[in-house]
């Protein structure tokens, strides 16, 4: 598990927990086992399902479950696709955003989207892992011990997105261990840099 930035869709946790839980519930409610809201192959078909009531059903489910990150990311995924979201639902997402722990960069991206969204596909301007790696691969960058670069940023436990309440994530402990190992590697890299710069 890792994160390569503090914006939207810049951590494995978002994909492994939040997006997968939203997709799982969307598949159940739509009775479409192949449905995905994150970069679907058939966007128009997914947008039609969202506009025909799937968005509202998912929103109501996540509100009942008190899953704030589900509410926020459902809106974000739907806005990326250009689904029609009623103003009252956008207002509810905004209220949810103000009381939910998130990284400031991600929160600012959602806020900007909520303020500017007009029912057309919205670009939240988050770099994916590949874009981040490509931007970080300049020859001038200092490498860590062993000549490799770590792309991960430190995640804060209290700001990590949570999965849907009541669901068990079997790989939770493996993600925790990977997060700890990532932190250890980053400490080793910093110590190595200070040693090499003397």
């Amino acid at each position: 598990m890792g994160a390569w930035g503090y914006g939207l869709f810049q951590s494995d946790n978002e994909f492994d927990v939040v997006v997968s839980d939203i997709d799982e519930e969307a598949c159940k409610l739509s009775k479409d086992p192949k449905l995905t809201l994150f970069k679907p192959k058939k966007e128009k078909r997914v947008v039609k399902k969202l506009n025909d009531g799937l968005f509202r059903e998912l929103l109501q489910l996540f509100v009942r479950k008190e899953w704030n990150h589900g509410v926020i990311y459902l809106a974000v995924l739907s806005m990326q696709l250009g689904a029609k979201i009623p103003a009252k639902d956008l207002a509810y997402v905004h209220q949810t955003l103000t009381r939910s722990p998130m990284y400031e960069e991600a929160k600012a991206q959602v806020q900007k989207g909520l303020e500017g969204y007009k029912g057309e596909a919205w670009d939240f301007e988050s770099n994916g892992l590949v874009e981040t790696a490509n931007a970080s691969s300049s020859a001038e960058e200092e490498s860590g011990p062993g000549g490799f670069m770590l792309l991960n940023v430190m995640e804060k436990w209290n700001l990590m997105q949570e999965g849907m309440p009541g669901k068990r994530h079997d790989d939770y402990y493996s993600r925790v261990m990977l997060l700890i190992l990532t932190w250890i590697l980053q400490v080793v890299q910093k110590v190595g840099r200070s040693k090499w710069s003397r």
Side-chain angles (χ1 to χ4, degrees):
M1 180 173 76
W4 48 93
Y6 295 115
L8 289 170
F9 305 114
Q10 292 189 322
S11 76
D12 291 334
N13 185 61
E14 286 172 290
F15 293 107
D16 296 343
V17 178
V18 180
V19 173
S20 70
D21 282 358
I22 291 172
D23 280 349
E24 184 179 329
E25 295 305 318
C27 289
K28 286 180 195 173
L29 290 173
S30 69
K31 297 176 177 48
D32 181 349
K34 295 183 179 181
L35 186 73
T36 181
L37 301 184
F38 185 77
K39 297 185 179 182
K41 291 179 183 174
K42 297 180 180 178
E43 280 189 24
K44 288 182 182 179
R45 187 174 66 88
V46 175
V47 170
K48 181 172 179 3
K49 285 182 184 260
L50 289 166
N51 291 345
D52 288 348
L54 181 59
F55 175 86
R56 194 81 179 113
E57 286 182 73
L58 288 166
L59 183 64
Q60 290 171 344
L61 173 65
F62 300 157
V63 169
R64 273 194 317 274
K65 295 275 189 176
E66 298 180 5
W67 186 29
N68 289 351
H69 287 115
V71 168
I72 294 165
Y73 278 83
L74 171 63
V76 166
L77 291 165
S78 300
M79 290 164 65
Q80 283 185 315
L81 295 171
K84 305 295 179 220
I85 304 173
K88 66 179 182 175
D89 292 340
L90 289 173
Y92 183 80
V93 173
H94 182 267
Q95 290 172 351
T96 304
L97 180 68
T98 60
R99 64 178 187 265
S100 299
M102 288 178 76
Y103 291 111
E104 288 304 314
E105 186 177 330
K107 202 174 248 194
Q109 287 173 289
V110 177
Q111 181 66 41
K112 184 178 176 183
L114 291 170
E115 291 170 359
Y117 189 64
K118 304 289 185 231
E120 295 178 12
W122 185 267
D123 182 3
F124 286 94
E125 301 175 355
S126 277
N127 284 340
L129 179 58
V130 173
E131 294 92 354
T132 303
N134 289 339
S136 300
S137 64
S138 71
E140 297 135 20
E141 295 225 25
E142 197 177 318
S143 62
F148 64 91
M149 278 296 299
L150 291 174
L151 289 176
N152 282 3
V153 296
M154 290 300 295
E155 290 188 89
K156 296 179 182 173
W157 289 100
N158 62 329
L159 297 178
M160 289 177 69
Q161 300 79 13
E162 301 167 353
M164 192 162 92
K167 291 191 82 163
R168 180 168 176 213
H169 296 278
D170 293 331
D171 59 345
Y172 173 77
Y173 291 109
S174 63
R175 277 185 273 149
V176 169
M177 289 307 298
L178 283 171
L179 186 62
I180 291 168
L181 289 172
T182 300
W183 178 78
I184 291 169
L185 284 171
Q186 288 175 336
V187 168
V188 168
Q189 184 182 26
K190 285 180 183 177
V191 169
R193 280 187 184 160
S194 65
K195 237 181 181 179
W196 293 95
S197 62
R198 291 183 191 169

